[in-house]
Amino acid sequence: MSIPFPRSTLALRADSSRRGVLGVATTAAVLGVWGACFVFARVNLYEVSERARVEVREAAHPVQTPLDGEVIAVHIALGQQVQQGDVLVELDARALRRELAQAEVRRAGVEAQIAAVRAQIEAQERNRREQQGVAQARLGEAIARRREAESGALYAEGEASRAVRLSQEGLLSASDAARADSEGKIRRGALEASRFSLLRTEAEQRAKETELGVELLKQRRDLVLLEAQAAEVRAVIEKLSDQIDDHRIVAPISGQVGEISGFQVGSFLHRGDKITSLVPGGVLRIVAEYAPAHAAGRVAPGQAGRLRLDGFPWTQYGSVPVVVKSVGSELRDGLVRVELGVQTGHDTPVLLQHGLPGKVEVEVEKISLAALVLRTVGEKLQGSSAASRP
């Protein structure tokens, strides 16, 4: 049977053949492009840590109570900025203050006694100097009388000798000679008396000097004992003052109050109890913790990454660009510690503060899709092989 319209039929067959060839060519082109991308295109691989937080470079400083005591005043609030030396908490020190007041009274009494003894010593030394002046005057007077007696005795002896000679020559009566001899004896007796008077004056001066010296030694000994008591009392006062200061718990550093333990006025704290934690100011850093298999040999300083903060959806707030600063070489609780810093020249979508938690993604390498598929298949096979081992 003849086919009507033979030319139309041939045209349709030719057009169908061309569409088939075009479809095959298109499919081949797509497969070629995809294959090229699969082999040559690079994708970024990230190591992710779900345990990351913002910290200051200096660790938070815990503050503990140094002794047992009842809380009588609290001077801090959460988030408050404090300076080094500010009083944070006061513990009850009333018993110590009573002891301190008694010690102050004792110190005042001892210091008054010391002042009195020092005044006595000064008066005694003045009296000693005055007595020395009087003794020197008496001694000088005794020496002058002795010299006078010596002169008189020498003169009398000379007159007696001359009278004896004149009496022997008949030029002087015996009575006059006897009178001259008697006068000489009187002068010699006066000389001896002056000598004894000088010796007595010197002895009295030495005795008086010794008596005054002994009295001064006693007073100085009393002064030494009182000064020792005063030093002891001052040591007690210093010790009590230090103990009272220990009842005022002060900030060891400047920073922000990061946390406060559950206590209030009237609570009893035991030695070593943590009362607060101070967060020092300074440059912020991001700390992330990785499993060793994901970090060791893969995460290295200089690698870029991003921080996505919990509570701030990244679709709205974006992420914080970070860079790896250091990677720990020792495990802590079975994890590797990685420290990162915010990349300079980038604005952070959120004001970073100490303690903000989040997730860190660090770009560790760029590989092709083919290599990624092969690696994934290899990991699956390795895992299956390990699971099938007895």
Side-chain angles (χ1 to χ4, degrees):
M1 183 177 64
S2 61
I3 300 174
F5 308 107
R7 292 183 178 179
S8 298
T9 300
L10 292 175
L12 288 174
R13 288 177 179 176
D15 184 61
S16 176
S17 177
R18 284 196 298 270
R19 282 200 301 269
V21 172
L22 181 60
V24 171
T26 302
T27 301
V30 170
L31 290 176
V33 172
W34 188 88
C37 292
F38 186 74
V39 174
F40 299 106
R42 294 291 185 266
V43 294
N44 297 331
L45 288 186
Y46 293 88
E47 290 294 347
V48 180
S49 171
E50 301 287 347
R51 301 180 58 176
R53 66 194 299 261
V54 179
E55 293 182 355
V56 291
R57 290 195 178 277
E58 297 182 17
H61 197 294
V63 181
Q64 299 174 324
T65 176
L67 41 79
D68 300 343
E70 180 185 350
V71 178
I72 61 173
V74 179
H75 303 289
I76 55 174
L78 194 63
Q80 176 184 348
Q81 289 288 339
V82 297
Q83 300 299 319
Q84 183 178 7
D86 288 351
V87 178
L88 307 179
V89 177
E90 292 186 47
L91 302 179
D92 186 12
R94 286 173 292 186
L96 292 174
R97 286 193 172 89
R98 286 193 294 268
E99 293 183 22
L100 179 61
Q102 294 173 359
E104 292 284 1
V105 171
R106 290 199 302 272
R107 181 177 69 175
V110 173
E111 289 178 348
Q113 293 179 18
I114 290 174
V117 171
R118 285 177 176 170
Q120 290 177 359
I121 291 175
E122 291 178 359
Q124 193 72 15
E125 289 179 344
R126 286 196 301 270
N127 182 43
R128 185 180 184 180
R129 290 192 294 270
E130 292 173 357
Q131 292 295 332
Q132 288 175 347
V134 173
Q136 289 296 330
R138 289 179 178 177
L139 183 61
E141 183 181 355
I143 292 173
R145 285 197 300 267
R146 179 182 174 181
R147 289 174 179 173
E148 182 182 1
E150 287 177 347
S151 299
L154 289 174
Y155 177 77
E157 287 177 355
E159 288 294 321
S161 298
R162 190 171 63 83
V164 170
R165 187 176 65 254
L166 291 175
S167 175
Q168 291 175 351
E169 294 176 356
L171 298 176
L172 186 65
S173 63
S175 59
D176 289 338
R179 188 180 307 110
D181 183 61
S182 177
E183 182 67 22
K185 292 179 180 179
I186 293 173
R187 293 290 184 178
R188 285 194 295 272
L191 177 60
E192 290 296 324
S194 66
R195 288 175 179 173
F196 285 119
S197 176
L198 177 60
L199 293 174
R200 184 180 66 252
T201 301
E202 290 176 344
E204 289 177 350
Q205 181 180 359
R206 288 193 296 270
K208 190 66 174 178
E209 182 70 18
T210 301
E211 180 182 356
L212 293 175
V214 170
E215 186 65 25
L216 278 173
L217 286 176
K218 290 181 179 179
Q219 292 175 349
R220 289 194 177 101
R221 181 198 62 189
D222 294 340
L223 179 60
V224 170
L225 294 176
L226 289 172
E227 287 179 341
Q229 293 181 17
E232 183 179 354
V233 174
R234 285 194 296 269
V236 171
I237 291 174
E238 184 177 355
K239 179 179 179 181
L240 291 172
S241 299
D242 291 341
Q243 291 177 348
I244 291 174
D245 289 340
D246 289 340
H247 283 68
R248 290 192 293 266
I249 304 173
V250 301
I253 61 171
S254 299
Q256 185 181 38
V257 178
E259 62 173 323
I260 300 177
S261 302
F263 67 91
Q264 58 186 356
V265 174
S267 300
F268 191 88
L269 298 178
H270 296 279
R271 181 176 183 177
D273 286 350
K274 182 178 178 181
I275 62 173
T276 185
S277 180
L278 299 180
V279 180
V283 179
L284 295 174
R285 64 182 174 187
I286 294 92
V287 176
E289 295 177 339
Y290 282 89
H294 294 167
R298 294 179 59 78
V299 178
Q303 292 175 339
R306 55 182 176 239
L307 168 67
R308 293 177 177 176
L309 297 170
D310 295 346
F312 298 90
W314 69 272
T315 54
Q316 178 181 356
Y317 293 93
S319 58
V320 179
V322 297
V323 61
V324 177
K325 295 296 185 180
S326 62
V327 180
S329 58
E330 296 292 337
L331 299 183
R332 181 185 298 178
D333 298 330
L335 299 173
V336 176
R337 179 184 175 93
V338 178
E339 295 184 1
L340 309 96
V342 178
Q343 292 188 26
T344 58
H346 293 273
D347 295 331
T348 58
V350 179
L351 179 61
L352 298 182
Q353 296 179 352
H354 175 82
L356 285 176
K359 178 175 69 175
V360 164
E361 300 174 355
V362 175
E363 181 183 334
V364 294
E365 61 178 319
K366 294 178 181 291
I367 63 174
S368 65
L369 290 174
L372 179 60
V373 170
L374 292 175
R375 180 182 296 179
T376 304
V377 171
E379 291 177 352
K380 294 292 184 181
L381 292 175
Q382 184 179 4
S384 300
S385 176
S388 63
R389 291 175 184 173

